[in-house]
Amino acid sequence: LSLSLSLSLSLAPPPQFGVDNVLCHVADPTFVGFCSLRGADCGVKTIAKADPHEKVGVLASVGGKPHVVEYSEISTEMAEATREALSGSGTRLLYGAAHICVNWFSLPFLRAFAAGALGEEGSASLPLHVARKKVPCLDPDKGGGSVPLQPSEPNAIKLELFIFDTFPHAAKLVALQVPREHEFAPVKNAPGAASDSPHTACAAFSRLCVDRLVAAGGTVKAPRPCVAANSGNGSRPRPLLEISPLVSYAGEGLEERVAGREFELPQHLC
């Protein structure tokens, strides 16, 4: 739908998410409600970084404005900097709020940005980011330029636009930190990789489904699925559990289906 039609129909502002995150809660009512009730222009979900050098962008203030700063743009000193935890027990990373590409934008903010009404004299725009990539090509020195070449080093420059570069133009941005194990399982690597692969994402989703089933009074006969079941050599994970979102969005309403019952994996509740 166009922005003008969405505004005329008084539709809810659209959430935005990365398609590679298997655990993303699409149109999460808690997140949408949180952003709306706070009267925000933009909202983001974050998780705590797994370690100081995890390759994720972080939410930070740059020149008094909210920004997502890419891991490649943070020095080692900044990545490892800590502060006292709000609870008073121990320390936490100063730049530890990892951006997981789950965002929310108010319709008036999107319309103003698209119309060029933000920034100094309406000059707001998305900057280009340079990414160096290894791109398969043809070897110019072999076979008259007809021999495929798999480069071992980056050989191409990719120019990228990031939607979060709208954040500095927001009058109010809010952030909601969520549990990693509930909301972040990206697929970035090939099957068989030790992390962020299709197998590890499936295992993470299955673990979440098992937690929801047990919380609703059900039990699982097989051992709980785990990422370690993927040995890294291409083997498949252990038997999995999938609860269809048509049955339950986030674990609600499962009691009448699972309470007092034992389930043997693999299992698909649909």
Side-chain angles (χ1 to χ4, degrees), residues 50-109:
D51 61 77
H53 301 290
E54 183 179 11
K55 292 184 177 181
V56 290
V58 296
L59 190 63
S61 176
V62 179
K65 299 286 187 179
H67 282 256
V68 172
V69 183
E70 287 296 291
Y71 65 89
S72 58
E73 299 171 344
I74 295 179
S75 66
T76 299
E77 182 181 12
M78 292 175 64
E80 297 176 353
T82 60
R83 63 179 174 85
E84 190 72 22
L86 294 178
S87 61
S89 57
T91 61
R92 61 190 302 177
L93 292 174
L94 179 61
Y95 301 102
H99 178 249
I100 59 174
C101 201
V102 178
N103 306 310
W104 176 96
F105 303 91
S106 74
L107 289 176
F109 174 78

Side-chain angles (χ1 to χ4, degrees), residues 161-192:
L161 295 174
F162 295 149
I163 194 169
F164 53 70
D165 281 326
T166 57
F167 293 169
H169 303 288
K172 183 174 184 180
L173 180 143
V174 296
L176 181 66
Q177 184 134 314
V178 296
R180 174 188 293 263
E181 62 274 16
H182 290 179
E183 303 214 24
F184 190 58
V187 178
K188 298 181 179 180
N189 300 320

Side-chain angles (χ1 to χ4, degrees), residues 89-169:
S89 57
T91 61
R92 61 190 302 177
L93 292 174
L94 179 61
Y95 301 102
H99 178 249
I100 59 174
C101 201
V102 178
N103 306 310
W104 176 96
F105 303 91
S106 74
L107 289 176
F109 174 78
L110 288 178
R111 183 171 65 175
F113 189 92
L118 300 178
E120 295 182 5
E121 299 180 355
S123 61
S125 62
L126 298 179
L128 290 171
H129 293 261
V130 174
R132 291 173 170 79
K133 303 287 185 178
K134 292 187 289 186
V135 178
C137 59
L138 297 177
D139 191 334
D141 299 323
K142 294 181 180 179
S146 62
V147 178
L149 173 66
Q150 295 289 339
S152 58
E153 300 292 335
N155 64 330
I157 292 177
K158 180 181 178 182
L159 299 179
E160 300 177 325
L161 295 174
F162 295 149
I163 194 169
F164 53 70
D165 281 326
T166 57
F167 293 169
H169 303 288

